[in-house]
Amino acid sequence: MSSNVGLTTPRGSGTSGYVQRNLSHLKPRDNIAPYPKDFSTLKHRQRQPDQEILEHDRRREIEVKVFELRDR
């Protein structure tokens, strides 16, 4: 095909002559690194545990002990 886009005449080609973009074509990305090379920023910070959850766990342990004593 020459530099012209589409058909000069759609007659007899079985198409309407409408030109569509190829949406599945992936354009090359820029050469920017996807991750920073400074590994000190990638360190995982440990979060402080939620006090309500810790309190719930303590109460649940006491409740389990109470049920075990009731079964005896």
Side-chain angles (χ1 to χ4, degrees):
M1 211 186 263
S2 64
S3 63
N4 295 338
V5 177
L7 303 170
T8 54
T9 174
R11 176 179 269 177
S13 66
T15 66
S16 67
Y18 181 74
V19 178
Q20 294 181 353
R21 292 187 326 162
N22 184 1
L23 297 177
S24 64
H25 176 69
L26 298 176
K27 296 180 181 177
R29 293 181 171 225
D30 297 335
N31 291 335
I32 299 173
Y35 301 105
K37 294 184 179 182
D38 184 17
F39 292 109
S40 63
T41 60
L42 296 176
K43 289 183 180 177
H44 176 70
R45 278 189 5 205
Q46 187 172 3
R47 298 187 320 183
Q48 295 296 322
D50 188 11
Q51 294 301 319
E52 292 180 2
I53 294 175
L54 293 176
E55 183 64 27
H56 175 77
D57 289 341
R58 285 189 210 106
R59 289 180 179 179
R60 181 70 183 145
E61 288 176 17
I62 293 171
E63 189 177 15
V64 168
K65 288 179 184 177
V66 167
F67 281 121
E68 287 175 356
L69 289 173
R70 281 185 185 170
D71 286 343
R72 288 186 190 169

